[in-house]
Amino acid sequence: MAEVRLPKRIMNSGGWCQGCGHGVVVRLIAEVLDELGVADKAIAVEDVACGSMSMSGVLNCDAIMAAHGRPIPVANGAKGARPDSIVYAHLGDGSAYSIGSAELVHTALRGDNMTVIVVNNTVYGMTGGQMAPTTLPAEKTASSPKGKDADRYGVLNVVDLIGKLNATYIARGEIYDVASTAKTKAMIKKAFQNQIDNKGFSLVEVLAPCPTNLHMTPVQCKEFVHTEATKFFPLGEFVDK
Amino acid sequence: MAEKVLMKGNEALAEAALRAGSRFYSGYPITPQTEILEYLSTRMAEVGGFFVQAESELCGINMVFGAAAAGARAFTTSSGPGYSLKQEGISYLAANDLPAVIIDVMRIGSGLGDIFMGQGDYWQLTRGGGHGDYRTIVLAPNSVQENVETVQLAFDLAEKYLHPVIIASDAGIGQMMEPVELPDFKDHDINKFDWAVRGCKEDEPMRACQNIYYAKHSTDYPEYLTKKYNDIEENEQRWESYQVEDAEVVLVAYGSSSRVAKDTVDTAREQGFKLGLIRPITLWPFPKKAFAEAKAAKAFCTVEVNILGQMVDDVKLATEGKFPVGFAGNFFAIPDPDEIIATAKALLK
């Protein structure tokens, strides 16, 4: 049997729900930091929501818990204070694209040298699965129990929002299976390599399941993300300078 | 060697922050503090620091939050309406035990109010202002020279208590030019505090900058917090007393209005009316101890540039409700000495 090896910086499994995508994303980040040899100078900036559970005995990396929606400016501040450090913001779709959208837009406009990892599970996870800008049309959530009225609320694709600004790299991956997870990891790696090379702003969105709030089994939710969410959020590298 | 120059209040504040070792600023334009942003837009680069004109005050304060967590002496500046937006970040700074300096060059009024000189923010500055159990140390300089000294003190206090410190300046002090002696440059070691995030070695425990309630304390958090605020209240009350001991009526004024109040004391005494002045230098902790000196006082009177007399309640508390507390206030300008004297005299009737 193959030996199961934890990435060096992973201390333990997290307290996430069964089938949640956050744990996989944090693991990928840990692997990338280690492989790039920058874990010693890495600073994670977490949104107060689900992703911040990586600070609770999961990822051994200096970290700041930012207010909801503010990981990007907080990461920017940490990077400004310590330009030699490798700083990333790890946040959800509600944080990055709704309450923190102004900060996202202007950070991308300035092309600030940092890495942003957005976990898009189409809902607000921590507060119990309310509608987000990324909720799909007709998707039922706690605050759209009859299904999202997309004519009223729209669906936000981050590439439309910041694709023509001054980002160096914008990509979207999924963690559906081994192959797609490996592709996503390569995207995350590029997003960090760009920062190491002082190339500017890189954002990777990872489509991830939230079975608890989508009221599905982990497998159903994984399939939903893979088949339904990707219709609105295609995978690929959209900006790669 | 300290240098003596003629400088505008706002620019002196900015220069003094650099000399206090700050190399991080993120701000947003708003009258009457914009000169700070403008000054630093070129000056910060000359000293090798980080400057950014943020897209909003929210962004500005959150960048300061990140820089403070990384160990920098970071600051941001604003005025009333923009300061309101910063409250989110200030609450987080306080909750995380992070030192930072926020400068509010006050204007007048609620909502848009107006851009002219005012002391409209006393309540939001001294009561915390954002959500939760917190207050911030609030320093109120009343001259360009004191502006300069206050910035150094603000950073020192912020680091002493690991807490955000506010400088309550106002349009009067911000816009006036006065001769000022600039202090020498002080270095700040970004690695001075071990809690500051910087990256940890594989075999080191991670540094986690988060709500101090999560980070260090759980059940003893209330005691920890109570002690912190009690210590600040006990140790950091600052004030200037002027002719207080034999005064029948003691004026209480800070910032720009304290300058007029001081002249008013002289004018009144020439007329045989014994006025005195307590000038709070810390608005929080409010200098309650100063009031023990007012042994002959029959009444107190605040002098403020706002409509509702925002400091009156604090004077009533400091004097335990034993004396009448008047309010010589004016929305449009600092009340003139005649107006103040008339209000003060009326309190004796």
Side-chain angles (χ1 to χ4, degrees):
Chain A
M1 212 174 120
E3 184 195 355
V4 178
R5 270 196 314 130
L6 280 178
K8 281 182 190 164
R9 293 287 173 155
I10 295 290
M11 297 182 280
N12 211 332
S13 58
W16 292 289
C17 307
Q18 281 191 341
C20 171
H22 271 290
V24 178
V25 173
V26 171
R27 181 189 170 120
L28 295 180
I29 292 170
E31 289 178 358
V32 164
L33 292 175
D34 186 38
E35 287 165 21
L36 293 173
V38 294
D40 286 2
K41 50 180 183 175
I43 298 171
V45 182
E46 301 287 344
D47 192 87
V48 288
C50 298
S52 69
M53 276 193 275
S54 65
M55 290 174 73
S56 305
V58 178
L59 182 65
N60 191 37
C61 176
D62 278 9
I64 307 170
M65 197 188 288
H68 178 50
R70 318 291 175 228
I72 293 173
V74 170
N76 227 323
K79 182 77 179 179
R82 292 183 182 268
D84 296 333
S85 59
I86 296 300
V87 181
Y88 72 93
H90 168 220
L91 64 171
D93 44 292
S95 175
Y97 305 154
S98 187
I99 192 168
S101 55
E103 289 87 340
L104 169 68
V105 165
H106 288 272
T107 306
L109 181 62
R110 289 187 297 263
D112 291 333
N113 188 35
M114 60 182 291
T115 305
V116 176
I117 311 294
V118 180
V119 176
N120 176 3
N121 55 21
T122 76
V123 287
Y124 286 90
M126 184 61 99
T127 49
Q130 293 76 24
M131 183 178 67
T134 46
T135 299
L136 309 185
E139 184 181 345
K140 288 182 180 171
T141 72
S143 59
S144 60
K146 293 180 179 170
K148 181 179 188 175
D149 179 355
D151 291 338
R152 182 172 178 202
Y153 287 105
V155 177
L156 185 67
N157 180 337
V158 65
V159 184
D160 297 336
L161 187 67
I162 62 168
K164 291 187 174 164
L165 306 180
N166 295 311
T168 300
Y169 185 64
I170 303 174
R172 182 182 295 113
E174 62 173 349
I175 47 174
Y176 176 68
D177 53 15
V178 173
S180 61
T181 303
K183 266 190 197 167
T184 298
K185 180 180 167 182
M187 291 169 176
I188 293 173
K189 199 164 188 173
K190 197 183 273 186
F192 277 99
Q193 186 65 51
N194 283 342
Q195 188 183 159
I196 295 166
D197 297 341
N198 282 312
K199 284 176 74 175
F201 182 83
S202 297
L203 179 143
V204 176
E205 180 185 301
V206 183
L207 296 180
C210 180
T212 299
N213 286 313
L214 271 61
H215 305 289
M216 296 177 186
T217 66
V219 174
Q220 284 170 341
C221 196
K222 198 171 104 126
E223 294 298 336
F224 170 81
V225 171
H226 178 62
T227 56
E228 299 301 321
T230 50
K231 289 178 187 164
F232 294 88
F233 305 116
L235 308 176
E237 295 176 308
F238 304 96
V239 175
D240 188 7
K241 291 176 190 163
Chain B
M1 264 292 285
E3 14 171 345
K4 195 151 193 174
V5 291
L6 186 67
M7 260 184 131
K8 204 172 194 178
N10 278 342
E11 290 175 355
L13 262 178
E15 179 64 26
L18 303 181
R19 288 170 187 247
S22 178
R23 292 293 179 275
F24 189 100
Y25 174 86
S26 56
Y28 186 84
I30 182 171
T31 309
Q33 64 83 46
T34 306
E35 292 84 1
I36 300 175
L37 174 89
E38 291 172 353
Y39 184 84
L40 291 168
S41 69
T42 54
R43 180 71 177 126
M44 187 60 101
E46 290 171 9
V47 297
F50 178 93
F51 166 91
V52 62
Q53 179 171 327
E55 60 271 19
S56 68
E57 284 91 350
L58 263 178
C59 176
I61 189 70
N62 278 289
M63 283 189 175
V64 162
F65 178 93
R73 280 197 153 184
F75 76 113
T76 183
T77 58
S78 195
S79 186
Y83 190 88
S84 297
L85 284 173
K86 291 193 188 290
Q87 293 288 18
E88 173 193 277
I90 298 170
S91 176
Y92 275 80
L93 286 164
N96 287 35
D97 274 4
L98 286 177
V101 172
I102 301 102
I103 297 170
D104 179 10
V105 185
M106 283 187 284
R107 49 196 252 184
I108 191 79
S110 50
L112 176 63
D114 212 328
I115 58 171
F116 52 78
M117 154 65 201
Q119 295 175 319
D121 298 343
Y122 184 88
W123 278 334
Q124 78 158 334
L125 294 177
T126 56
R127 265 63 190 162
H131 57 286
D133 288 306
Y134 81 95
R135 291 183 188 237
T136 53
I137 297 172
V138 184
L139 300 166
N142 82 341
S143 67
V144 178
Q145 182 64 49
E146 213 175 77
N147 256 356
V148 165
E149 290 152 16
T150 301
V151 182
Q152 301 260 351
L153 175 66
F155 277 111
D156 291 344
L157 289 175
E159 289 181 358
K160 179 177 177 186
Y161 292 100
L162 301 180
H163 208 68
V165 174
I166 315 303
I167 297 176
S169 179
D170 60 50
I173 301 156
Q175 300 297 324
M176 73 169 66
M177 286 185 91
E178 281 185 333
V180 58
E181 201 167 290
L182 292 171
D184 293 336
F185 278 91
K186 234 165 95 173
D187 285 332
H188 170 69
D189 175 10
I190 199 166
N191 293 320
K192 176 172 167 182
F193 298 107
D194 185 60
W195 50 255
V197 296
R198 69 201 67 174
C200 65
K201 300 261 187 306
E202 198 184 327
D203 52 356
E204 280 177 356
M206 65 181 279
R207 299 173 184 87
C209 173
Q210 57 188 335
N211 197 323
I212 212 74
Y213 160 63
Y214 292 159
K216 285 187 198 153
H217 305 269
S218 47
T219 52
D220 64 343
Y221 180 62
E223 289 77 19
Y224 167 78
L225 209 63
T226 306
K227 182 178 184 312
K228 181 176 187 175
Y229 287 100
N230 285 346
D231 286 350
I232 296 172
E233 257 197 293
E234 184 52 37
N235 300 332
E236 305 304 339
Q237 294 181 29
R238 286 172 164 77
W239 70 91
E240 179 193 347
S241 298
Y242 184 64
Q243 311 263 43
V244 167
E245 262 190 31
D246 65 342
E248 286 180 277
V249 179
V250 176
L251 304 176
V252 187
Y254 65 93
S256 280
S257 58
S258 69
R259 297 167 70 119
V260 175
K262 197 169 190 176
D263 289 345
T264 305
V265 170
D266 294 339
T267 307
R269 283 183 178 259
E270 280 163 20
Q271 298 168 4
F273 177 35
K274 285 180 181 168
L275 270 185
L277 168 69
I278 290 173
R279 172 169 81 92
I281 295 172
T282 49
L283 303 185
W284 193 84
F286 193 73
K288 291 179 185 165
K289 293 175 184 176
F291 290 80
E293 294 170 37
K295 295 191 178 75
K298 298 187 182 82
F300 294 82
C301 181
T302 73
V303 184
E304 302 176 62
V305 188
N306 56 51
I307 296 170
L308 297 178
Q310 297 188 15
M311 194 166 53
V312 168
D313 286 348
D314 277 343
V315 177
K316 284 183 182 167
L317 284 169
T319 54
E320 296 173 345
K322 290 175 184 162
F323 301 92
V325 180
F327 166 54
N330 189 324
F331 184 75
F332 299 101
I334 301 171
D336 61 39
D338 293 344
E339 201 180 329
I340 299 168
I341 290 169
T343 307
K345 273 193 176 155
L347 290 166
L348 298 175
K349 280 174 194 159

